[in-house]
Amino acid sequence: MKFDQVNKELFSFLNQSPNAFFAVKNMCDAFRQAGMTRLYEGAPWNLAPGRGYYVTRNDSSVIAFRIPKADYTGFQMMASHCDSPVFKIKTNAEITIDKQYVKLNVEKYGGLLCAPWFDRPLSAAGRVIVRTEDGIETRLVNVDRDLMIIPNLAIHMNRQVNDGYKFNAQVDMLPLFCEKGEESDAFMRLIAAEAGVSAEDILDTDLFLYNRMPAVSLGLNNEFIAGGRLDDLQCAFASLKGFLEAAPKDSVAVHCVFDNEEVGSGTKQGAGGTFLKDTLHRISRAMGRTEEEYLMSIASSFLVSADNAHAVHPNHPDKTDPTNRTYLNKGIVIKYSANQKYTTDAVSGAIMRTICRQANVPYQTFTNRSDLPGGSTLGNILQSQVALNTVDIGLPQLAMHSPYETAGAKDTAYLIEAARVLFSSSVEEAGNGSYKLKFQ
Ligand code: ZN
């Protein structure tokens, strides 16, 4: 497998995707380059067998699909997320201190680790909504330079800090932006200049901080990788690559990447919204299928919910379950949870294990320690919209929800290969707990 080449491409995707808006834009660029057709939710869909299409919602979630030439039995899907825990820049962001400094007012988005945000170059990226003659339009903005920093308090002013510190998001986490100058609104004027508009034409914004440090390889033999937003852009990237390399024959291949997983998915573009259900219904209708035929196709579909997993931590090996312990570079993680925070059951687990074997890639299993609650993901949330056999998987990583996370140098390539096999396969319900798995 071409691990180095895959990581090079992954790093470039991570570095060019400071948040969900950019991740979706970069994926759309890849679909366009692959000759796929862009669809809009507000326009009719005319679909043809043998073609590929993609559609976005809120410019921060995307679903792409490829229809096989022959009649299809179901949908082979992989879902991941493109948002990451981060600080969002509030409206009216500037705060002046002692008529000397300007810092920005920010708030937490998702369950983030505070400590690693200190003492490193940061910048701002997101979208601005601009007034036009007949309405509004969206522009993406990335201030592509080292711009801000959240300075730590010196140890001399807090001698107990190394014994544990409670971070107050309103006090401790506000980034220093500039010296106080003559003019006010320096931040919005900078954003307007980057967007190529005047500050007066900006009606509203969704802007976020991001860590400027680019992704790197490390370890004695470059066996590790580190970078921002590995959770979950590593899975989104692997799904994208496998999707584009696949040869769908008996099922529609569906690559979905959702925003807002880190805040519960309950938005119009999140996994708890109707985006996937609406899209599958529209595909079905455009292909001339009845409602019953749609439901039959869902019964013969399979969904892989791909969201990164916790590897055993070298300094805290006791935090992991005694018999389901996952390690970097040891392959795709299949996640189990008795209370179904992860959707995996014996059927979907068995199908995923078969896919990994067919792809000739290693896999490992994860459960939380029975005395630790763990997190959840988008797999079970999607069930309220489209209920079908689903497995929860991920790639093993360390420091989840830090702005700079660590993972294995081999695992991305393993998931690309498994995704390629998934998107080229079909899972046909045969009744009584039996399924026919067809691989190309
Ligand atoms: Zn995640």
Side-chain angles (χ1 to χ4, degrees):
M1 282 184 183
K2 295 177 186 143
F3 299 117
D4 288 346
Q5 179 58 30
V6 163
N7 286 329
K8 225 173 114 191
E9 287 179 42
L10 170 67
F11 291 174
S12 131
F13 181 67
L14 292 172
N15 296 340
Q16 289 169 32
S17 304
N19 54 49
F21 298 111
F22 286 87
V24 166
K25 179 202 169 285
N26 292 330
M27 283 186 275
C28 287
D29 288 348
F31 299 137
R32 196 181 56 240
Q33 278 161 24
M36 295 170 57
T37 304
R38 184 164 196 150
L39 302 170
Y40 294 91
E41 289 198 286
W45 290 9
N46 298 304
L47 310 181
R51 298 289 311 273
Y53 303 89
Y54 59 105
V55 58
T56 63
R57 186 175 281 188
N58 191 51
D59 299 317
S60 64
S61 293
V62 63
I63 298 179
F65 55 93
R66 296 174 58 196
I67 305 172
K69 286 203 178 83
D71 222 12
Y72 64 86
T73 51
F75 301 94
Q76 294 294 87
M77 304 189 271
M78 187 172 284
S80 53
H81 69 89
C82 52
D83 63 323
S84 304
V86 70
F87 288 97
K88 186 170 190 200
I89 300 168
K90 290 183 182 176
T91 198
N92 302 320
E94 291 191 15
I95 299 174
T96 303
I97 299 298
D98 289 353
K99 298 185 185 141
Q100 296 296 323
Y101 302 128
V102 178
K103 60 181 184 178
L104 297 187
N105 195 3
V106 299
E107 62 180 316
K108 282 185 193 168
Y109 172 92
L112 55 80
L113 284 170
C114 283
W117 282 89
F118 287 95
D119 304 333
R120 59 181 61 223
L122 307 172
S123 193
R127 67 176 174 187
V128 299
I129 308 301
V130 179
R131 176 169 62 193
T132 63
E133 265 180 25
D134 57 354
I136 58 172
E137 70 178 34
T138 297
R139 298 209 185 180
L140 296 192
V141 174
N142 176 8
V143 184
D144 192 9
R145 65 183 172 95
D146 300 338
L147 183 67
M148 294 181 252
I149 195 161
I150 307 173
N152 249 305
L153 186 61
I155 193 159
H156 316 80
M157 295 170 176
N158 183 7
R159 289 280 180 192
Q160 281 77 47
V161 64
N162 290 333
D163 302 327
Y165 183 78
K166 193 170 192 281
F167 296 100
N168 180 321
Q170 191 62 66
V171 174
D172 295 304
M173 306 310 302
L174 308 189
L176 174 65
F177 169 56
C178 68
E179 285 185 339
K180 179 68 184 164
E182 296 294 302
E183 292 178 84
S184 56
D185 284 337
F187 180 65
M188 280 314 293
R189 282 188 287 110
L190 169 69
I191 294 297
E194 292 283 336
V197 297
S198 68
E200 296 72 44
D201 287 333
I202 295 181
L203 292 169
D204 216 334
T205 63
D206 289 311
L207 295 168
F208 302 86
L209 299 185
Y210 71 95
N211 176 16
R212 292 282 299 164
M213 192 159 169
V216 296
S217 299
L218 45 89
L220 175 63
N221 299 305
N222 286 326
E223 59 268 55
F224 308 125
I225 59 172
R229 305 169 295 282
L230 285 171
D231 171 18
D232 188 30
L233 293 186
Q234 193 182 8
C235 285
F237 173 79
S239 177
L240 169 73
K241 295 285 288 178
F243 173 80
L244 291 174
E245 290 172 13
K249 192 167 164 236
D250 297 306
S251 279
V252 180
V254 186
H255 158 89
C256 346
V257 184
F258 293 99
D259 193 5
N260 299 133
E261 191 276 339
E262 300 294 359
V263 293
S265 298
T267 59
K268 66 184 183 300
Q269 64 276 6
T274 58
F275 190 25
L276 181 61
K277 179 167 90 174
D278 293 347
T279 302
L280 297 183
H281 264 111
R282 289 183 79 161
I283 296 170
S284 198
R285 212 165 296 151
M287 299 310 290
R289 302 228 169 167
T290 64
E291 180 65 13
E292 184 179 37
E293 287 166 333
Y294 167 73
L295 294 172
M296 285 162 59
S297 70
I298 293 298
S300 289
S301 295
F302 190 64
L303 172 65
V304 176
S305 162
D307 193 0
N308 269 4
H310 304 295
V312 170
H313 194 288
N315 297 343
H316 301 278
D318 54 322
K319 291 287 183 190
T320 307
D321 183 70
T323 61
N324 294 282
R325 301 170 72 77
T326 59
Y327 301 93
L328 307 182
N329 290 319
K330 295 295 182 286
I332 293 161
V333 179
I334 305 177
K335 306 180 193 176
Y336 293 83
S337 151
N339 60 24
Q340 291 290 291
K341 276 192 173 177
Y342 306 132
T343 52
T344 313
D345 57 22
V347 168
S348 62
I351 293 172
M352 189 64 209
R353 287 167 195 245
T354 309
I355 288 170
C356 290
R357 282 176 190 190
Q358 181 71 25
N360 206 15
V361 297
Y363 60 87
Q364 43 190 341
T365 56
F366 175 87
T367 66
N368 283 294
R369 280 178 62 101
S370 304
D371 54 2
L372 282 182
S376 69
T377 180
L378 36 76
N380 61 352
I381 290 167
L382 277 167
Q383 303 303 310
S384 60
Q385 297 297 330
V386 185
L388 76 166
N389 280 320
T390 303
V391 66
D392 266 288
I393 66 145
L395 294 177
Q397 72 158 94
L398 301 170
M400 190 178 283
H401 292 190
S402 166
Y404 207 68
E405 300 169 318
T406 297
K410 293 181 174 174
D411 296 313
T412 313
Y414 293 150
L415 184 55
I416 291 172
E417 194 52 21
R420 188 187 64 75
V421 168
L422 165 81
F423 289 128
S424 309
S425 67
S426 66
V427 174
E428 217 174 303
E429 190 195 32
N432 303 319
S434 303
Y435 293 85
K436 256 189 239 162
L437 309 186
K438 274 198 223 164
F439 298 105
Q440 303 309 317

